[in-house]
mmCIF file of all heavy atoms in Angstrom:
data_model
loop_
_atom_site.group_PDB
_atom_site.id
_atom_site.type_symbol
_atom_site.label_atom_id
_atom_site.label_comp_id
_atom_site.label_asym_id
_atom_site.label_seq_id
_atom_site.Cartn_x
_atom_site.Cartn_y
_atom_site.Cartn_z
ATOM 1 N N LYS A 14 31.665 -6.979 7.047
ATOM 2 C CA LYS A 14 31.528 -8.120 6.089
ATOM 3 C C LYS A 14 32.849 -8.786 5.848
ATOM 4 O O LYS A 14 33.092 -9.166 4.727
ATOM 5 C CB LYS A 14 30.875 -7.634 4.875
ATOM 6 C CG LYS A 14 29.376 -7.457 5.049
ATOM 7 C CD LYS A 14 28.729 -7.788 3.699
ATOM 8 C CE LYS A 14 27.751 -6.766 3.152
ATOM 9 N NZ LYS A 14 27.083 -7.071 1.983
ATOM 10 N N GLU A 45 20.949 -28.901 12.606
ATOM 11 C CA GLU A 45 21.656 -27.990 11.666
ATOM 12 C C GLU A 45 20.751 -26.836 11.424
ATOM 13 O O GLU A 45 21.290 -25.594 11.214
ATOM 14 C CB GLU A 45 21.855 -28.857 10.320
ATOM 15 C CG GLU A 45 22.445 -27.929 9.275
ATOM 16 C CD GLU A 45 22.742 -28.759 7.942
ATOM 17 O OE1 GLU A 45 22.740 -29.961 7.915
ATOM 18 O OE2 GLU A 45 22.733 -28.023 6.794
ATOM 19 N N HIS A 127 30.676 -45.755 25.679
ATOM 20 C CA HIS A 127 30.539 -44.364 25.092
ATOM 21 C C HIS A 127 29.053 -44.295 24.733
ATOM 22 O O HIS A 127 28.267 -43.235 24.935
ATOM 23 C CB HIS A 127 31.463 -43.974 23.926
ATOM 24 C CG HIS A 127 32.768 -43.587 24.461
ATOM 25 N ND1 HIS A 127 32.927 -42.316 24.885
ATOM 26 C CD2 HIS A 127 33.925 -44.224 24.465
ATOM 27 C CE1 HIS A 127 34.186 -42.273 25.202
ATOM 28 N NE2 HIS A 127 34.796 -43.270 25.000
ATOM 29 N N LEU A 130 26.875 -43.678 27.689
ATOM 30 C CA LEU A 130 26.925 -42.269 28.255
ATOM 31 C C LEU A 130 25.887 -41.527 27.525
ATOM 32 O O LEU A 130 25.235 -40.711 28.060
ATOM 33 C CB LEU A 130 28.419 -41.811 28.113
ATOM 34 C CG LEU A 130 29.501 -42.378 29.089
ATOM 35 C CD1 LEU A 130 30.876 -41.665 28.667
ATOM 36 C CD2 LEU A 130 29.212 -42.153 30.442
ATOM 37 N N HIS A 174 22.525 -30.801 39.835
ATOM 38 C CA HIS A 174 22.696 -31.827 40.847
ATOM 39 C C HIS A 174 21.674 -33.079 40.472
ATOM 40 O O HIS A 174 22.256 -34.221 40.648
ATOM 41 C CB HIS A 174 22.299 -31.076 42.143
ATOM 42 C CG HIS A 174 22.400 -32.048 43.409
ATOM 43 N ND1 HIS A 174 23.500 -33.001 43.623
ATOM 44 C CD2 HIS A 174 21.601 -32.363 44.480
ATOM 45 C CE1 HIS A 174 23.370 -33.604 44.680
ATOM 46 N NE2 HIS A 174 22.290 -33.235 45.213
ATOM 47 N N LEU B 7 23.166 -36.302 50.695
ATOM 48 C CA LEU B 7 22.811 -36.331 49.211
ATOM 49 C C LEU B 7 22.410 -34.924 48.713
ATOM 50 O O LEU B 7 22.733 -34.484 47.593
ATOM 51 C CB LEU B 7 21.562 -37.323 49.122
ATOM 52 C CG LEU B 7 21.108 -37.495 47.738
ATOM 53 C CD1 LEU B 7 22.171 -38.483 47.085
ATOM 54 C CD2 LEU B 7 19.811 -38.280 47.706
ATOM 55 N N TYR B 50 32.081 -37.709 31.496
ATOM 56 C CA TYR B 50 31.491 -36.869 30.572
ATOM 57 C C TYR B 50 32.424 -35.839 30.234
ATOM 58 O O TYR B 50 32.492 -35.263 29.099
ATOM 59 C CB TYR B 50 30.179 -36.265 31.106
ATOM 60 C CG TYR B 50 28.957 -37.334 31.105
ATOM 61 C CD1 TYR B 50 28.515 -38.013 32.055
ATOM 62 C CD2 TYR B 50 28.460 -37.443 29.730
ATOM 63 C CE1 TYR B 50 27.607 -38.966 31.947
ATOM 64 C CE2 TYR B 50 27.449 -38.418 29.610
ATOM 65 C CZ TYR B 50 26.993 -39.183 30.839
ATOM 66 O OH TYR B 50 25.970 -40.011 30.582
ATOM 67 N N GLN B 53 34.760 -36.716 27.502
ATOM 68 C CA GLN B 53 34.164 -37.083 26.144
ATOM 69 C C GLN B 53 34.689 -36.070 25.097
ATOM 70 O O GLN B 53 34.826 -34.978 25.378
ATOM 71 C CB GLN B 53 32.676 -36.921 26.281
ATOM 72 C CG GLN B 53 31.856 -37.963 27.014
ATOM 73 C CD GLN B 53 31.357 -39.006 26.108
ATOM 74 O OE1 GLN B 53 31.967 -39.993 25.744
ATOM 75 N NE2 GLN B 53 30.153 -38.785 25.650
ATOM 76 N N ARG B 62 28.097 -31.981 6.218
ATOM 77 C CA ARG B 62 27.031 -31.067 6.768
ATOM 78 C C ARG B 62 27.563 -29.817 7.078
ATOM 79 O O ARG B 62 27.129 -28.793 6.843
ATOM 80 C CB ARG B 62 26.489 -31.816 8.022
ATOM 81 C CG ARG B 62 25.162 -31.287 8.480
ATOM 82 C CD ARG B 62 24.701 -31.995 9.750
ATOM 83 N NE ARG B 62 24.019 -33.235 9.399
ATOM 84 C CZ ARG B 62 22.630 -33.343 9.034
ATOM 85 N NH1 ARG B 62 22.085 -32.379 8.889
ATOM 86 N NH2 ARG B 62 22.169 -34.491 8.761
ATOM 87 N N ARG B 65 28.512 -27.705 3.949
ATOM 88 C CA ARG B 65 27.276 -27.125 3.355
ATOM 89 C C ARG B 65 26.762 -26.014 4.287
ATOM 90 O O ARG B 65 26.458 -24.860 3.575
ATOM 91 C CB ARG B 65 26.177 -28.225 3.357
ATOM 92 C CG ARG B 65 24.852 -27.827 2.558
ATOM 93 C CD ARG B 65 24.004 -28.884 2.504
ATOM 94 N NE ARG B 65 23.525 -29.405 3.750
ATOM 95 C CZ ARG B 65 23.094 -30.622 4.224
ATOM 96 N NH1 ARG B 65 23.233 -31.617 3.245
ATOM 97 N NH2 ARG B 65 22.731 -30.975 5.358
ATOM 98 N N ARG B 77 24.309 -9.839 3.145
ATOM 99 C CA ARG B 77 23.470 -8.999 4.178
ATOM 100 C C ARG B 77 23.775 -7.474 3.766
ATOM 101 O O ARG B 77 24.742 -7.164 3.321
ATOM 102 C CB ARG B 77 23.809 -9.182 5.617
ATOM 103 C CG ARG B 77 25.210 -9.124 6.013
ATOM 104 C CD ARG B 77 25.311 -9.423 7.538
ATOM 105 N NE ARG B 77 25.018 -8.317 8.285
ATOM 106 C CZ ARG B 77 25.827 -7.303 8.753
ATOM 107 N NH1 ARG B 77 27.006 -7.488 8.325
ATOM 108 N NH2 ARG B 77 25.361 -6.397 9.413
#
Side-chain angles (χ1 to χ4, degrees):
Chain A
K14 284 211 224 177
E45 181 180 334
H127 280 284
L130 290 178
H174 186 42
Chain B
L7 188 69
Y50 282 103
Q53 287 259 90
R62 196 180 276 282
R65 185 177 64 209
R77 58 181 280 272

